[in-house]
């Protein structure tokens, strides 16, 4: 019955960002399709598993929900190992959590690179968008530009509470992970001419930006 | 809606969904009535509401027997053959009988549970008396006796729990109520002066570690501390108390500050002690070598603890240990949460308090012994899981954990490895590092206290 057409993918995905930005809520919404205002603080790391059917292939996402307090950095960095993608989350109602985004990204990139030397695909989530978008509108930052400058493959305004854009963001991340996986598989074959990816990369990125 | 149901309804009805139809060939009420008469349960008269009258007459009324009613096919469909109708009636009666039997069994189980609870409450009452009248008045002489240690293991009655914890944790730091008030006053001063410039100041030097110690973290975490109890949240009765204790601690130990996990520990203490005493126990508890290592996030020392834990893990549960190794499941993944919150987040609160009881008696060793007890309790399920499922299971333990069983498993964990005890397996690292850390901590504390007093 099982033929070799049916491929299985297992991806480890990190969910990081400041304390209380809604990392656990996003995962609960994505995996269990529900929301509660009563989640407990995550200490250390929590886990979730999401199984997707992707073009007749099975994709298993291992979600690592990592505690947000900066102090834990030393201890949780070991959890970055072997991750294929990441969400960096901030709270649109708390400017400080957005300020921290670049730090989370730098931290991630400094500790984790793919086998081909590239950084892992990372999607930026502007969470709690149901509660206002002060950070997004007041600081004059162009999010598209911010993402390109900081190496995010895309960004989404999300709300775990209202179920806005969670699936979209995850699909975007999975798409990029698969692309970088293919890229790595191709580069492993020595005598093939690998297509120049820079141009291609730009193309897929902008498709993920929700520009109208 | 009703018409829709009629069309596809096969002839079984759940009460409350739609009204029994008057025009059907065989009145459903009659069938119900027939059944009741047959089983001798018919109510006196009042045929319009047979359920109500039945309810009144019985001590115990199985719900499902009345909820399910046999009904004939809708009129627009051909009638069932007599044979089939008979068969269905028979099946219906069997179902009802089974449901009744099941519910009777449930009722008996509930009664047994109630009896057990009464018995438990009675034994807690007598234990409380023993603790209050015999043990507490003679604490220093009795606390190490065999009898008290045994009683202790069985769980401290909630009414004396706070008192026993206070005595057992001690007050090596010599914190007074006055010192607590000084720290609290300083914390309040900070809260009152910082809010306005806080957001801007934070945004300006977001890179500095100051962002961490901000009191905003405490605020964010308080609402996420035992949210299901609804007492620590904004507007809840203990919200301000929890805020005060955590704030006062950041002034008492600015070098440690607020670290996630602390809110759970403070909350458990608040549930068992008055505010100032809770603070004293909190500060002294965090000052223990193991807690200091974790809350200062001293990575190398934490790794030493994990390594020592693994020695006992392999010794006690070799099969599971091998399974964990094979799946690359390292102890930090589950121990961090368990140790940082002293199990108050991962275990049901009453069970967590029992773990705290013995932790107060036996010290840090018991935290790791409890971890092994949990692993032993769930050994069979864990052995069948892969990495992600084990990680998920251990970071989110079942809602219902059998307390007695868990304590039996903990009891059968041996905390000696090749004649070495817990502290020795830590290769004296705990002792040396603990001693140095303890010395520095004490120095720091003395200085802080002096500074606060001078201020």
């Amino acid at each position: 019955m099982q033929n070799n057409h049916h491929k299985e993918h297992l991806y480890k995905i990190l969910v990081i960002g400041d304390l209380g930005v809604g990392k656990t809520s996003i995962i609960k919404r994505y995996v269990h399709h529900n929301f509660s205002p009563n989640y407990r603080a995550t200490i250390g790391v929590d886990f979730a598993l999401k199984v997707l059917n992707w073009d007749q292939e099975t994709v298993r996402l291992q979600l690592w929900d990592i505690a947000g307090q900066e102090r834990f950095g030393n201890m949780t960095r070991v959890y970055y190992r072997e991750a294929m993608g990441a969400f960096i989350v901030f709270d649109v109602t708390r400017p400080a959590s957005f300020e921290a985004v670049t730090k989370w990204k730098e931290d991630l990139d400094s500790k984790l690179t793919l086998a081909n030397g590239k950084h892992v695909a990372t999607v930026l989530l502007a969470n709690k968008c149901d509660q206002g978008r002060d950070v997004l509108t007041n600081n004059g930052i162009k999010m598209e530009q911010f993402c390109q400058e900081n190496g995010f493959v895309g960004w989404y305004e999300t709300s775990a509470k209202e179920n806005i854009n969670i699936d979209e963001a995850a699909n975007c991340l999975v798409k990029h992970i698969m692309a970088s996986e293919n890229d790595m598989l191709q580069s492993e074959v020595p005598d093939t001419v690998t297509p120049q990816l820079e141009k291609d990369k730009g193309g897929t990125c902008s498709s993920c930006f929700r520009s109208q | 809606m009703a018409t829709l149901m009629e069309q596809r309804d096969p002839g079984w009805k759940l009460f409350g969904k739609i009204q029994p139809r008057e025009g059907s060939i065989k009145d459903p009420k009659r069938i119900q009535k027939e059944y009741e008469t047959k089983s001798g349960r018919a109510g006196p008269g009042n045929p319009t509401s047979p359920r109500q009258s039945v309810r009144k007459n019985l001590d115990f009324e199985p719900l499902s027997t009345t909820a399910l009613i046999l009904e004939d096919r809708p009129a627009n469909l051909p009638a069932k053959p007599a044979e089939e109708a008979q068969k269905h009636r028979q099946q219906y009666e069997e179902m009802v009988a089974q449901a009744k039997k099941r519910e009777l069994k449930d009722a008996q189980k509930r009664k047994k549970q109630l009896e057990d609870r009464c018995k438990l409450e009675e034994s807690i009452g007598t234990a409380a008396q023993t603790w209050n009248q015999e043990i507490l008045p003679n604490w220093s002489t009795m606390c190490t006796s065999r009898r008290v240690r045994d009683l202790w293991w069985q769980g401290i009655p909630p009414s004396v729990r706070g008192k026993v914890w206070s005595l057992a944790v001690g007050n090596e730091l010599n914190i007074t109520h006055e010192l607590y008030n000084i720290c609290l006053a300083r914390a309040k001063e900070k809260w009152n002066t910082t809010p306005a410039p806080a957001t801007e100041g934070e945004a300006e030097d977001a890179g500095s570690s100051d962002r961490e110690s901000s009191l905003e973290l405490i605020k964010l975490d308080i609402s996420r501390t035992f949210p299901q109890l609804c007492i620590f949240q904004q507007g809840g009765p203990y919200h301000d108390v929890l805020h005060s204790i955590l704030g006062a601690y950041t002034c008492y130990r600015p070098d440690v500050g607020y670290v996630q996990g602390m809110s759970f520990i403070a909350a458990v203490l608040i549930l068992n002690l008055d505010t100032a005493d809770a603070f004293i126990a909190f500060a002294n508890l965090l000052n223990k070598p193991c807690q200091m290592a974790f809350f200062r996030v001293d990575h190398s020392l934490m790794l030493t603890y994990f390594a020592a834990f693994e020695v006992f893990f392999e010794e006690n549960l070799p099969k599971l240990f091998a399974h964990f190794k094979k799946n690359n499941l390292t102890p930090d993944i589950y121990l961090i949460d368990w140790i940082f919150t002293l199990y108050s987040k991962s275990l049901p609160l009453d069970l967590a308090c029992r773990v705290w009881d013995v932790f107060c008696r036996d010290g840090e060793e018991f935290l790791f012994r409890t971890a092994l007890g949990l692993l032993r309790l769930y050994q069979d399920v864990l052995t069948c899981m892969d990495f992600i499922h084990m990680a998920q299971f251990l970071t989110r333990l079942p809602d219902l954990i059998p307390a007695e069983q868990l304590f039996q498993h903990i009891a059968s964990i041996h905390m000696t490895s090749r004649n070495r005890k817990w502290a020795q397996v830590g290769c004296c690292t705990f002792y040396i590092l603990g001693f140095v850390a303890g010395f520095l901590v004490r120095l720091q504390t003395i200085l802080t206290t002096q500074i606060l007093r001078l201020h």
Side-chain angles (χ1 to χ4, degrees):
Chain A
M1 286 291 283
Q2 295 283 330
N3 54 29
N4 48 10
H5 278 291
H6 195 85
K7 249 173 91 181
E8 283 230 358
H9 303 266
L10 175 67
Y11 300 133
K12 170 173 169 178
I13 292 176
L14 305 171
V15 184
I16 53 180
D18 265 10
L19 182 155
V21 294
K23 299 180 289 294
T24 305
S25 298
I26 287 172
I27 292 174
K28 285 280 148 69
R29 170 59 80 188
Y30 183 50
V31 177
H32 303 291
H33 313 289
N34 59 22
F35 174 83
S36 151
N38 287 338
Y39 291 129
R40 300 171 301 177
T42 305
I43 315 286
V45 58
D46 277 347
F47 299 88
L49 183 65
K50 171 91 178 180
V51 183
L52 294 173
N53 289 317
W54 194 279
D55 297 336
Q56 285 151 1
E57 297 181 347
T58 305
V59 174
R60 286 173 195 279
L61 303 179
Q62 225 180 56
L63 297 153
W64 290 53
D65 176 8
I66 293 175
Q69 191 170 11
E70 203 179 316
R71 189 87 60 99
F72 292 146
N74 268 346
M75 153 183 116
T76 50
R77 78 167 62 157
V78 295
Y79 300 142
Y80 289 2
R81 216 174 39 213
E82 287 168 14
M84 287 292 285
F87 288 114
I88 293 182
V89 189
F90 71 96
D91 173 352
V92 292
T93 66
R94 270 165 51 214
S97 72
F98 178 69
E99 306 287 332
V101 165
T102 42
K103 239 175 24 187
W104 281 106
K105 185 69 168 71
E106 281 163 20
D107 186 55
L108 182 70
D109 288 344
S110 69
K111 285 160 196 158
L112 181 67
T113 40
L114 295 172
N116 61 3
K118 295 205 156 95
H119 294 142
V120 297
T122 309
V123 170
L124 180 62
L125 304 182
N127 195 37
K128 307 195 190 179
C129 72
D130 57 288
Q131 291 180 28
R133 38 204 315 276
D134 290 2
V135 173
L136 296 174
T137 47
N138 289 352
N139 64 6
I141 287 179
K142 292 234 184 334
M143 288 302 283
E144 274 79 4
Q145 197 186 332
F146 178 84
C147 284
Q148 255 149 16
E149 283 169 3
N150 291 281
F152 288 98
V153 298
W155 78 284
Y156 288 86
E157 282 180 67
T158 58
S159 165
K161 189 177 170 192
E162 303 294 338
N163 192 14
I164 299 170
N165 277 336
I166 309 278
D167 286 329
E168 289 80 352
N171 290 342
C172 170
L173 185 61
V174 171
K175 200 174 80 190
H176 280 88
I177 291 173
M178 292 184 115
S180 65
E181 196 183 39
N182 284 335
D183 174 31
M184 277 193 289
L185 286 174
Q186 277 172 13
S187 60
E188 267 170 24
V189 186
D191 288 332
T192 40
V193 181
T194 31
Q196 187 49 258
L197 275 155
E198 289 315 305
K199 193 177 60 189
D200 182 42
K201 207 173 142 203
T204 43
C205 282
S206 57
S207 71
C208 274
F209 294 146
R210 300 175 320 105
S211 46
Q212 275 81 27
Chain B
M1 181 68 196
T3 47
L4 219 140
M5 292 273 301
E6 268 174 47
Q7 276 159 14
R8 55 177 165 79
D9 199 278
W12 300 99
K13 284 268 177 289
L14 283 179
F15 248 173
K17 276 208 172 163
I18 60 169
Q19 288 294 315
R21 275 161 293 118
E22 296 298 326
S24 52
I25 300 162
K26 198 170 180 189
D27 187 1
K29 280 182 206 154
R30 221 179 77 211
I31 300 171
Q32 168 76 1
K33 189 88 182 167
E34 270 172 20
Y35 168 69
E36 279 163 359
T37 327
K38 235 187 321 188
S39 54
R41 305 193 304 126
N46 197 6
T48 48
S49 62
R51 272 179 307 156
Q52 272 187 353
S53 51
V54 167
R55 284 267 152 77
K56 270 181 221 152
N57 289 349
L58 288 173
D59 289 338
F60 155 68
E61 169 63 16
L63 287 171
S64 57
T65 50
T66 50
L68 194 66
I69 286 200
L70 183 62
E71 191 174 340
D72 272 339
R73 232 178 253 237
N76 56 350
L77 293 176
K80 285 183 203 172
E83 200 180 308
E84 201 186 336
Q86 173 62 32
K87 194 177 119 201
H88 286 171
R89 204 167 297 124
Q90 206 176 337
Q91 282 174 340
Y92 168 78
E93 272 162 26
E94 275 165 21
M95 279 167 69
V96 168
Q98 255 174 21
K100 206 180 151 193
K101 215 164 103 188
R102 198 171 51 235
E103 277 157 23
L104 200 73
K105 225 166 111 185
D106 283 351
Q108 278 164 349
K109 207 170 113 191
R110 274 199 298 275
K111 199 175 154 212
K112 174 88 170 53
Q113 276 172 346
L114 193 71
E115 279 169 9
D116 286 350
R117 218 168 100 189
C118 288
K119 228 183 273 173
L120 184 73
E121 268 164 27
E122 207 180 320
S123 76
I124 288 173
T126 33
Q129 220 172 5
T130 316
W131 280 95
N132 266 322
Q133 294 174 357
E134 293 176 46
I135 304 167
L136 289 177
N138 310 298
W139 179 252
S140 53
T141 52
M142 282 188 83
C143 70
T144 50
S145 74
R146 181 86 226 167
R147 184 171 151 251
V148 172
R149 286 177 64 83
D150 286 347
L151 211 57
W152 205 329
W153 176 271
Q154 287 155 30
I156 303 168
S159 59
V160 289
R161 188 165 255 155
K163 184 85 191 131
V164 177
W165 287 358
S166 277
L167 287 166
V169 171
N171 188 4
E172 204 188 3
L173 299 168
N174 287 318
I175 300 171
T176 58
H177 285 208
E178 183 210 1
L179 181 60
Y180 167 66
N181 287 326
I182 294 170
C183 292
L184 179 60
R186 292 210 61 183
K188 281 188 170 156
E189 220 172 276
K190 264 190 174 171
W191 295 332
N192 294 337
T193 52
T194 41
T199 40
E200 278 174 34
E202 252 177 18
E204 273 165 27
D205 62 348
S208 85
S209 63
D210 214 41
R211 196 169 61 86
E212 278 267 332
S213 62
S214 90
L215 292 150
E216 202 194 343
L217 296 194
I218 295 180
K219 230 185 283 167
L220 280 168
D221 262 5
I222 283 181
S223 64
R224 305 192 295 162
T225 307
F226 298 119
Q228 73 283 11
L229 295 181
C230 299
I231 51 177
F232 297 107
Q233 282 59 50
Q234 191 88 49
Y238 288 133
H239 173 269
D240 293 347
V241 180
L242 184 53
H243 206 226
S244 297
I245 288 183
L246 295 172
Y249 188 75
T250 61
C251 289
Y252 176 67
R253 288 299 302 267
D255 59 320
V256 179
Y258 173 74
V259 182
Q260 287 200 293
M262 282 185 182
S263 66
F264 286 91
I265 296 184
V268 173
L269 290 167
I270 288 167
L271 292 174
N272 289 283
L273 285 161
D274 290 336
T275 311
D277 290 327
F279 178 77
I280 294 170
F282 182 69
N284 280 284
L285 204 60
L286 295 194
N287 202 40
K288 308 252 174 225
C290 174
Q291 273 58 49
M292 256 307 137
F294 277 74
F295 280 106
R296 298 183 78 131
V297 199
D298 182 335
H299 205 219
S300 62
L301 199 45
M302 282 166 71
L303 290 176
T304 313
Y305 274 103
F306 297 148
F309 169 78
E310 286 199 292
V311 170
F312 290 97
F313 186 0
E314 187 171 19
E315 194 97 347
N316 282 278
L317 307 161
K319 226 178 84 193
L320 190 65
F321 180 78
H323 181 64
F324 275 35
K325 276 274 174 215
K326 200 180 81 199
N327 285 281
N328 280 325
L329 184 70
T330 50
D332 50 294
I333 281 177
Y334 46 95
L335 281 185
I336 283 175
D337 178 271
W338 295 354
I339 304 296
F340 266 100
T341 63
L342 301 175
Y343 295 95
S344 54
K345 193 185 142 215
S346 38
L347 295 182
L349 197 53
D350 53 339
L351 189 52
C353 283
R354 278 197 62 184
V355 170
W356 281 45
D357 289 344
V358 191
F359 163 60
C360 288
R361 191 191 78 172
D362 294 358
E364 66 186 37
E365 178 187 312
F366 189 72
L367 297 176
F368 296 92
R369 199 175 173 199
T370 302
L372 292 172
L374 277 163
L375 295 178
R376 195 174 190 272
L377 174 64
Y378 293 114
Q379 181 164 214
D380 294 342
V381 276
L382 288 166
T383 322
C384 306
M385 292 178 179
D386 62 355
F387 169 84
I388 189 73
H389 289 98
M390 285 194 284
Q392 263 183 300
F393 184 90
L394 293 171
T395 49
R396 176 172 297 267
L397 291 169
D399 289 333
L400 282 172
I401 298 174
E404 289 316 314
Q405 239 173 302
L406 173 61
F407 271 79
Q408 277 164 20
H409 282 282
I410 296 173
S412 46
I413 296 292
H414 300 290
M415 291 306 268
T416 46
S417 166
R418 297 186 199 109
N419 284 329
R420 290 181 305 166
K421 286 194 182 339
W422 169 255
Q424 293 167 313
V425 173
C427 306
C428 304
T429 326
F430 301 161
Y431 277 148
I432 296 162
L433 291 176
F435 177 77
V436 175
F439 175 74
L440 291 174
V441 162
R442 227 157 292 161
L443 195 68
Q444 163 91 35
T445 315
I446 292 164
L447 289 172
T448 317
T449 314
Q450 291 307 323
I451 291 163
L452 286 172
R453 291 231 166 92
L454 286 171
H455 201 84

